[in-house]
Amino acid sequence: MIVAAIALSGSDDQSGAKTRTAAVDDEQKRPEPLPDDSDRRAALTTLDDIDPCDLLDVRDLKQPDGVEKVAVSSHQCAFEGGGESLTVTLGTDLGHLRRIESAEEPVAGVKAYSMQGDIEGPGSCTWSIPVTFTDVIEFRYETGADEGGTSCSSIKRYAERGVETVQSSGHGSLFFQPGEPDVAARGDCRYFFQPGGVEDCHPYSGADPRLKGDELLAAAEKDRNVQCAVFKDAIEGNFGSQLSPVVWGEHCFFVSPDNTYLFRVNADPAFAPDEYGAIGENRREVSLGGFPAITFDGAPNVHDVYLSPYGDLSRAGMLHISARPLAGRGTYRDDYRELSDAEIDKVYALMAQSAKAHFG
């Protein structure tokens, strides 16, 4: 999967502008701890008591004749032959990003993830059943067909039988229940990924709705939540209430459980809009709701808008949104999806709405 790093500064990779270096104020650090996985580490010992070959049943195969069950290791078993490949692995890794990108759907009543295809092609499906914040029982099915004719839903029975076998053996507590946190992230930060950034990610905690103009920009410099508040209503109105704000670094982000968009927003008194986009593509000056703005294409599949709430692109003080479409969940992609013209129009509309609401 494609992973794009996110800049910590007031500008971004394509701005050509100076970047802010001041650390986030200590008062912004939230007291709530990260979810703790330490009490589940015993699950790995439990896996040692399970024979992975017990989780595979030849009756699940479409063409069982000539298929042989092979113990690859003490934690892995596979079916070989018959034109199908099915492997179960106990205790393999499934990180935070892969959980965001995989479809989430219960298997035999417990939390599970599925992914259709991988870097080698679409002719595979992987079902992952979490047992810790990093470890899963993995059922991987391959047909060898490049066209990907087998869907994850049609071979879900493999994972179901395996989970039921573990449950009947007295190890049902090994699994997570649907809705139970299974990543080391607070709240909706489970839908946000930045390498090494989870400790500083916090759900939006609200801001004073009376803040306007200069007072708002000054407050936003000290409190990341204020930046979320500037854009919250307009983003939800244009792209849906499923998007939720979280704060990380010096920014506010809007994330979605369906992994279809990532918005980074800023309200900043220190920089001017015309400092941005010097090395971006398709840089333009436009008017949005009567406010001048700079727009350009930044990193691959990212569209940036920097607006002056003062009517002067060279004056310090700006609103910013960086819009990135994501790949959704459950199907492997190795390319970028571009924003459509209609989606870009909605980004412009929400920027104009946010500016009018707080500076009109």
Side-chain angles (χ1 to χ4, degrees):
M1 291 293 185
I2 296 168
V3 182
I6 302 168
L8 272 168
S9 65
S11 66
D12 62 44
D13 296 347
Q14 302 295 324
S15 69
K18 297 178 180 179
T19 59
R20 184 191 301 160
T21 57
V24 176
D25 291 346
D26 288 341
E27 67 186 37
Q28 293 186 50
K29 300 297 184 182
R30 307 293 175 229
E32 67 270 19
L34 287 168
D36 186 9
D37 197 30
S38 60
D39 61 344
R40 296 190 63 91
R41 304 312 295 177
L44 299 181
T45 301
T46 302
L47 294 181
D48 292 335
D49 298 330
I50 299 173
D51 183 346
C53 288
D54 289 343
L55 308 188
L56 299 181
D57 194 312
V58 71
R59 292 174 297 176
D60 283 330
L61 296 178
K62 297 177 183 177
Q63 300 174 350
D65 294 341
V67 173
E68 183 180 5
K69 186 185 290 188
V70 177
V72 180
S73 70
S74 61
H75 286 90
Q76 189 174 75
C77 189
F79 281 135
E80 295 183 356
E84 295 177 281
S85 172
L86 177 64
T87 304
V88 59
T89 306
L90 308 181
T92 192
D93 180 80
L94 186 74
H96 186 179
L97 176 62
R98 187 59 182 262
R99 297 185 195 214
I100 295 171
E101 294 171 332
S102 298
E104 185 176 341
E105 180 181 343
V107 165
V110 303
K111 175 168 282 192
Y113 298 91
S114 66
M115 177 63 74
Q116 180 75 52
D118 59 18
I119 195 170
E120 297 179 357
S124 68
C125 174
T126 303
W127 282 94
S128 302
I129 320 298
V131 296
T132 74
F133 283 7
T134 55
D135 302 283
V136 299
I137 297 177
E138 178 187 275
F139 295 84
R140 178 174 173 78
Y141 179 88
E142 296 179 83
T143 63
D146 292 336
E147 67 273 10
T150 301
S151 67
C152 281
S153 59
S154 68
I155 55 93
K156 184 179 179 180
R157 63 185 183 276
Y158 299 120
E160 289 176 333
R161 186 183 295 276
V163 169
E164 289 166 354
T165 298
V166 173
Q167 291 171 327
S168 64
S169 67
H171 297 302
S173 60
L174 188 64
F175 304 115
F176 289 86
Q177 296 303 303
E180 183 181 358
D182 66 316
V183 293
R186 305 172 183 88
D188 286 339
C189 288
R190 66 189 182 275
Y191 304 125
F192 172 74
F193 179 79
Q194 172 71 8
V198 70
E199 290 188 4
D200 181 48
C201 183
H202 299 270
Y204 171 64
S205 62
D208 187 345
R210 297 169 296 178
L211 292 171
K212 303 282 184 180
D214 293 348
E215 186 181 18
L216 180 146
L217 290 182
E221 188 174 30
K222 297 179 181 180
D223 185 354
R224 300 168 292 182
N225 289 283
V226 175
Q227 303 188 67
C228 299
V230 172
F231 293 91
K232 187 174 185 297
D233 290 345
I235 284 181
E236 291 179 355
N238 284 274
F239 285 91
S241 59
Q242 80 281 359
L243 283 151
S244 57
V246 300
V247 293
W248 174 80
E250 293 185 353
H251 312 290
C252 171
F253 294 84
F254 284 79
V255 298
S256 60
D258 56 7
N259 197 44
T260 52
Y261 295 104
L262 177 66
F263 297 110
R264 174 163 67 93
V265 300
N266 302 94
D268 195 316
F271 297 104
D274 66 2
E275 296 182 58
Y276 294 84
I279 56 176
E281 297 183 358
N282 303 316
R283 188 179 190 272
R284 297 186 303 144
E285 292 187 12
V286 298
S287 177
L288 302 178
F291 297 91
I294 300 291
T295 72
F296 59 92
D297 298 322
N301 84 327
V302 176
H303 194 70
D304 282 279
V305 183
Y306 289 84
L307 177 145
S308 171
Y310 301 114
D312 182 354
L313 293 173
S314 64
R315 176 178 171 178
M318 67 174 194
L319 300 182
H320 166 236
I321 183 166
S322 178
R324 182 194 300 270
L326 301 177
R329 302 184 70 171
T331 301
Y332 179 82
R333 289 180 61 104
D334 60 359
D335 60 349
Y336 291 103
R337 182 177 82 82
E338 300 289 338
L339 286 168
S340 68
D341 290 344
E343 288 172 318
I344 290 176
D345 286 344
K346 288 202 293 185
V347 171
Y348 292 167
L350 75 86
M351 175 60 91
Q353 290 170 23
S354 299
K356 288 180 180 180
H358 298 281
F359 293 88

